[in-house]
Amino acid sequence: MNKVIRIAVFAAGASLTAPVVIPMAFAQSSMMAPNTVSVGGMAMYPNKTIVANAVNSQDHTTLVAAVKAAGLVGALSGPGPFTVFAPTNEAFGLLPAGTVDTLVKPENKATLTKILTYHVVSGDYPTTKIRQMILAGNGKAELKTLEGGTLTFMMNGSSNIIVTDEKGGMADITIADVMQSNGVIQVIDKVLMPG
């Protein structure tokens, strides 16, 4: 199915409006809704939930599989708001070989749940708010996770925010402020580990 739009053409003081046919696939990909961000090659729509958007990101297939294995789909589809620090597939790939395969086994559900909920904070925390907290905290801010642990935030330069876990591991926010109907996703380049 194609989409017909009208384009106005102005030439030598005269104007003409003519219909132009645009293939629907192009219309959908190039006319994304305002505030839509592309993550993993797919549009993340602010009117969809965290889970509904994440399942479409090719960069977050490991995270989505882990969320399903931990039984957290329902919780992260709830009203929130939540801020999810979402590691990419590449971030999971930096873990020791076999770690992810071991974590998604049913007998390791409690450990997997602990790690995943350590990446989630209750409330909306866009980077502007995190930056303000860092400035107010003399260069450092802390947020309590759903797991019960703490994430620490610092600036690295004028715009880059670093997230530090309780074991001293650090991650950069690589794609910021992916707004969702029930919160915000901050894409990070490392998996964070609770203490």
Side-chain angles (χ1 to χ4, degrees):
M1 182 176 173
N2 293 327
K3 181 174 182 130
V4 177
I5 63 168
R6 300 190 77 76
I7 295 181
V9 179
F10 301 93
S15 69
L16 170 69
T17 303
V20 176
V21 177
I22 295 177
M24 186 53 94
F26 176 78
Q28 288 174 336
S29 67
S30 63
M31 298 177 188
M32 294 195 310
N35 302 321
T36 302
V37 176
S38 176
V39 176
M42 296 301 292
M44 301 287 113
Y45 295 97
N47 62 337
K48 292 186 177 181
T49 67
I50 290 165
V51 173
N53 273 320
V55 296
N56 293 320
S57 169
Q58 294 305 305
D59 286 347
H60 291 91
T61 55
T62 304
L63 177 61
V64 169
V67 166
K68 288 177 180 177
L72 294 173
V73 171
L76 292 178
S77 297
F82 304 106
T83 299
V84 177
F85 297 91
T88 59
N89 293 342
E90 192 174 310
F92 279 102
L94 296 173
L95 294 173
T99 301
V100 175
D101 291 336
T102 300
L103 284 172
V104 296
K105 290 181 178 178
E107 62 268 24
N108 296 320
K109 184 176 178 179
T111 302
L112 179 61
T113 300
K114 180 178 173 121
I115 292 169
L116 292 176
T117 55
Y118 187 66
H119 289 78
V120 182
V121 172
S122 183
D124 271 316
Y125 288 95
T127 52
T128 52
K129 189 173 185 179
I130 297 171
R131 277 190 200 94
Q132 290 170 352
M133 292 170 59
I134 292 169
L135 291 173
N138 295 317
K140 194 183 280 189
E142 292 184 345
L143 288 173
K144 196 79 146 169
T145 69
L146 292 187
E147 179 270 338
T150 303
L151 295 174
T152 304
F153 301 84
M154 295 177 287
M155 298 297 299
N156 180 20
S158 61
S159 61
N160 188 45
I161 296 175
I162 294 175
V163 186
T164 305
D165 64 27
E166 293 175 335
K167 293 190 174 183
M170 295 200 226
D172 285 314
I173 295 177
T174 56
I175 301 177
D177 304 335
V178 187
M179 304 313 284
Q180 317 290 299
S181 66
N182 63 341
V184 60
I185 291 175
Q186 307 289 2
V187 178
I188 57 175
D189 62 355
K190 301 278 184 343
V191 176
L192 303 167
M193 291 295 181

